[in-house]
Amino acid sequence: MKGVLASQHLEEMIASGALSAELPILPEQIQPASLDLRLGTRAYRVRASFLAGYGRSVAERLNEFEMHQIDLSHGAVLEKGCVYVVPLMESLDLADDIQAVANAKSSTGRLDLLTRTITDGGEEFDRIAPGYTGPLYAEICPRSFSVLVRPGMRLNQIRFRAGHAVLTDEELIATHAQTPLVDGEAVIDGGLGFSVDLKPTSGTLVGYRAKPHTGVIDLDRIGYYNPTEFWEELNSATGQIILDPGAFYILVSREAVHIPPAFAAEMAPFLAMVGEFRVHYAGFFDPGFGHDAAGGAGSRGVLEVRCHESPFVLEHGQVVGRLVYEHMAALPSQLYGSGISSNYQGQGLKLSKHFRAA
């Protein structure tokens, strides 16, 4: 077996104990090519972000960096600008030929809620070595909004891989020729290029900028919040905007993207040398995203953009990221958007599911 493990493989891992949890893993946690991870009952406020490092456990490092503990059982607020570590309900017992990668879920990224997975002995965020056995932890840093969380909430997800599955540029070109991966010209160089749309077909609304002083967002409230209380509309009649240092933006890709059922993809930031910004915290694109067979007919990629040290001019059509495609080990039994209540199939410019339609 080689490639990204599909939903039916995850079910086999659960049955074998390679994936286990304090409470039984729920069917709705299983996605076409990933598993949603759940927050446990306790959060640790820490002085700084950290990695366990070779030969050391996260629990050991928490003794170094912990400031205080928070019981999440009845809900608790994670404050903007603070760093927390939350033990997750799930743990792993991976085979020696299976590695894993984790990422924030799409709704998590759209709230500028930096969420990364750390492990015992881990020397990288969100990357889990083949054969890892042990617990999982989420490091959570709310960047724009304070959030109310409870045990069982799913802020990040994990994907498993056997062997090397990434498509070469030549394979991407051939795949695009057979089944178009974008609705226009494909820019393929180390993956499929993603550009920003700053010239909408109607009107001048090109995105949203997070307001600096807002109320708390309860992550269980869906379609509840008035977007004007948390976001400023961003308009452009010229096809360009200036990003402010430290500000967070929701923008949208110019391309409508297709992920055929035999593939999964991950969004990777473009080279830092093209500008002082970072794009896309939430990097997983599941099989069926934007695909006709799953009711997608092309879906734009929402861009979560944070500007760094200096103001930066972003222009229409500028390449800001790339999609890295991988082979699936098998066709998943369920596609993204096809009967599994996927929130962002067929999307355009869209805030997270917590906000009422603008």
Side-chain angles (χ1 to χ4, degrees):
M1 183 171 61
K2 180 179 178 182
V4 174
L5 303 195
S7 50
Q8 59 269 32
H9 299 131
L10 302 183
E11 292 169 353
E12 293 169 3
M13 291 176 69
I14 294 167
S16 72
L19 269 171
S20 60
E22 299 168 12
L23 297 176
I25 294 174
L26 305 172
E28 54 265 33
Q29 289 178 249
I30 302 173
Q31 304 299 323
S34 61
L35 180 81
D36 292 346
L37 300 172
R38 296 169 295 177
L39 299 182
T41 58
R42 187 162 297 277
Y44 296 83
R45 168 80 166 90
V46 293
R47 290 186 285 126
S49 172
F50 66 86
L51 290 164
Y54 180 76
R56 306 188 70 180
S57 70
V58 174
E60 180 184 346
R61 303 311 301 272
L62 281 172
N63 289 333
E64 271 183 79
F65 300 115
E66 175 193 334
M67 297 172 68
H68 61 89
Q69 298 182 26
I70 303 166
D71 184 1
L72 304 183
S73 300
H74 302 289
V77 173
L78 305 185
E79 299 282 354
K80 171 183 170 181
C82 298
V83 183
Y84 303 86
V85 172
V86 181
L88 297 170
M89 291 187 182
E90 290 73 26
S91 58
L92 302 180
D93 184 10
L94 296 181
D96 290 340
D97 60 344
I98 300 295
Q99 60 182 305
V101 58
N103 224 311
K105 288 176 63 65
S106 186
S107 293
T108 307
R110 293 181 201 208
L111 291 175
D112 198 18
L113 189 56
L114 180 61
T115 303
R116 303 184 288 192
T117 302
I118 56 177
T119 61
D120 291 346
E123 298 180 288
E124 291 183 275
F125 291 108
D126 287 334
R127 297 295 186 267
I128 301 166
Y132 175 76
T133 296
L136 299 172
Y137 300 81
E139 180 203 272
I140 303 170
C141 180
R143 304 290 301 278
S144 289
F145 312 116
S146 296
V147 293
L148 179 62
V149 301
R150 300 176 183 85
M153 282 184 170
R154 295 176 280 170
L155 302 189
N156 56 346
Q157 54 195 161
I158 191 166
R159 180 176 280 182
F160 301 92
R161 179 191 300 114
H164 182 74
V166 174
L167 275 71
T168 65
D169 285 350
E170 291 73 21
E171 289 175 313
L172 267 182
I173 291 167
T175 302
H176 178 67
Q178 183 177 11
T179 305
L181 302 178
V182 291
D183 59 348
E185 179 185 356
V187 178
I188 295 175
D189 182 9
L192 179 69
F194 234 53
S195 65
V196 63
D197 185 7
L198 297 178
K199 289 184 178 178
T201 53
S202 62
T204 60
L205 178 66
V206 297
Y208 300 91
R209 177 171 49 211
K211 290 185 173 181
H213 309 291
T214 68
V216 171
I217 295 176
D218 182 340
L219 298 184
D220 272 340
R221 293 187 182 270
I222 308 303
Y224 178 82
Y225 294 99
N226 181 347
T228 62
E229 295 178 5
F230 294 84
W231 301 93
E232 298 171 359
E233 290 190 351
L234 201 60
N235 292 276
S236 175
T238 63
Q240 66 175 218
I241 57 173
I242 298 177
L243 303 177
D244 294 323
F248 178 73
Y249 300 84
I250 296 292
L251 305 173
V252 70
S253 72
R254 183 175 60 163
E255 300 82 8
V257 178
H258 301 254
I259 311 294
F263 303 98
E266 184 176 1
M267 184 69 170
F270 205 54
L271 295 175
M273 65 185 70
V274 304
E276 290 293 329
F277 60 93
R278 168 184 170 149
V279 172
H280 226 278
Y281 293 116
F284 289 165
F285 285 66
D286 271 338
F289 180 86
H291 191 68
D292 290 342
S299 293
R300 304 293 185 96
V302 165
L303 307 174
E304 300 138 8
V305 178
R306 174 168 288 280
C307 186
H308 296 319
E309 286 82 5
S310 60
F312 184 79
V313 176
L314 200 56
E315 303 190 77
H316 177 73
Q318 184 169 341
V319 175
V320 294
R322 67 189 189 281
L323 273 178
V324 177
Y325 280 72
E326 296 184 89
H327 294 282
M328 293 294 297
L331 289 178
S333 56
Q334 188 79 58
L335 296 179
Y336 182 91
S338 181
I340 59 171
S341 302
S342 302
N343 289 291
Y344 304 114
Q345 186 68 294
Q347 71 181 356
L349 177 65
K350 189 174 182 180
L351 296 172
S352 79
K353 62 186 179 182
H354 308 91
F355 298 97
R356 300 197 292 268

